[in-house]
Amino acid sequence: MTPSQVESATFMKLEENSFVLLLPVGTRPGAATVCPIRRLRTQLSPSRPCLLWPSDSEGAAKVSLLKKVPALKDGDFTLAECTAILLYLSRKYKTPDHWYPSDIRKRAQVDEYLSWHHANIRASAPKTMWIKVLIPLFTGQPLPAEKLQEVMEGLSASLKQFEERFLQDKAFIIGSEISLADLVAIVELMQPVGVGCDVFEDRPRLMEWRRRVEEAVGKELFFQAHEMILNIKELSNIQIDPQLKEHLAPMLMKMLK
């Protein structure tokens, strides 16, 4: 996603550390990045608050050479991709240990999940939003029900592995405390929820894990970060410029392949 396509993108800046973070608030990458930043605000900048202001394409290009969000600029150093940003911040600012543990085995467990996540849950969960809302919005035509069923079957298989391999009987993915692995997982799974595909229903172990994640992050912050995702169906009521539709429709269809 480029800044020109994300009207809700915002810069987040920590003045004391010459630190700028550009992210699309309300989207999956934005939710994944903004939750720990706001949760750990006092650890990152103990004497000054974060400042938020609207972004524009010119400002976005100054932060990200790829002109994509989320992106981070720390002095003359720039970084893209939400997972890489989270790991960088946790290492540099010495955030509470549970997010990315110093214990080498626990840290390896976080890394293991993050590696698995991209080709599994990440590969299926976002497609529910594209199928049910975004592609019909830009093409003017609903997709066949079989397409959603195919995606949900793949997601169900990933969730079965998630519960059996990673969650097991633990409170969180790597044990008794929340980590970045839980955060990356939960924001992905809220996308199907936002379009009416409640992946937590009939999965009591998964539901209890979600409840614990909400409490660990803080319910107010959790739902604030996911506000746009949970109300994504409202986009079906907006008017899209015909030229933008013509440009984006083929790209969205390609994402499903």
Side-chain angles (χ1 to χ4, degrees):
M1 145 183 339
T2 64
S4 61
Q5 296 169 338
V6 185
E7 295 181 353
S8 61
T10 63
F11 283 117
M12 179 179 290
K13 180 180 181 183
L14 300 180
E15 291 185 343
E16 185 177 27
N17 299 302
S18 300
F19 171 96
V20 178
L21 176 64
L22 173 66
L23 57 97
V25 173
T27 65
R28 196 280 311 175
T33 313
V34 76
C35 274
I37 297 302
R38 290 183 176 170
R39 183 74 175 85
L40 304 173
R41 179 174 297 178
T42 55
Q43 282 77 21
L44 295 180
S45 183
S47 61
R48 301 193 183 197
C50 297
L51 300 178
L52 303 175
W53 67 91
S55 73
D56 53 50
S57 296
E58 181 180 354
K62 293 178 181 179
V63 178
S64 171
L65 296 177
L66 298 176
K67 298 182 180 181
K68 293 184 178 182
V69 288
L72 173 144
K73 180 175 175 60
D74 189 3
D76 61 356
F77 176 70
T78 60
L79 188 66
E81 302 296 337
C82 62
T83 300
I85 290 171
L86 292 176
L87 296 179
Y88 173 80
L89 294 177
S90 67
R91 289 163 176 154
K92 177 170 181 177
Y93 293 101
K94 298 180 180 179
T95 55
D97 193 67
H98 63 83
W99 287 110
Y100 195 51
S102 56
D103 179 278
I104 190 171
R105 292 187 177 183
K106 289 185 177 181
R107 178 169 290 197
Q109 287 180 301
V110 174
D111 293 338
E112 178 187 33
Y113 176 76
L114 295 177
S115 297
W116 176 87
H117 173 88
H118 187 76
N120 292 274
I121 289 178
R122 173 65 176 154
S124 298
K127 291 180 180 179
T128 59
M129 188 167 61
W130 298 114
I131 291 171
K132 295 204 69 175
V133 176
L134 297 179
I135 289 178
L137 177 65
F138 282 94
T139 64
Q141 298 292 331
L143 288 175
E146 293 79 10
K147 192 64 180 178
L148 179 62
Q149 181 180 352
E150 177 185 336
V151 168
M152 291 303 296
E153 288 175 355
L155 182 55
S156 294
S158 293
L159 288 175
K160 185 174 186 295
Q161 290 183 47
F162 176 76
E163 289 191 80
E164 295 177 355
R165 171 64 184 86
F166 293 100
L167 194 56
Q168 300 176 2
D169 59 353
K170 297 172 292 187
F172 298 100
I173 291 176
I174 66 167
S176 60
E177 292 185 291
I178 191 172
S179 72
L180 292 180
D182 299 281
L183 196 66
V184 169
I186 194 69
V187 297
E188 212 75 74
L189 295 178
M190 294 305 292
Q191 291 184 77
V193 174
V195 295
C197 302
D198 192 345
V199 296
F200 299 97
E201 187 177 4
D202 299 325
R203 291 185 174 94
R205 179 165 48 178
L206 202 64
M207 179 68 80
E208 282 300 302
W209 166 75
R210 172 186 166 176
R211 179 188 60 78
R212 289 190 291 268
V213 171
E214 288 180 14
E215 291 178 351
V217 172
K219 287 192 175 184
E220 182 178 356
L221 172 56
F222 183 90
F223 286 103
Q224 180 185 9
H226 292 95
E227 182 178 3
M228 185 178 291
I229 291 174
L230 293 175
N231 293 285
I232 192 71
K233 288 190 287 187
E234 294 180 4
L235 288 179
S236 59
N237 299 321
I238 69 174
Q239 297 295 318
I240 303 295
D241 180 85
Q243 290 185 336
L244 185 60
K245 281 186 175 183
E246 184 178 355
H247 176 69
L248 290 182
M251 296 171 57
L252 293 173
M253 294 299 295
K254 187 177 180 180
M255 292 179 68
L256 288 180
K257 295 181 180 179

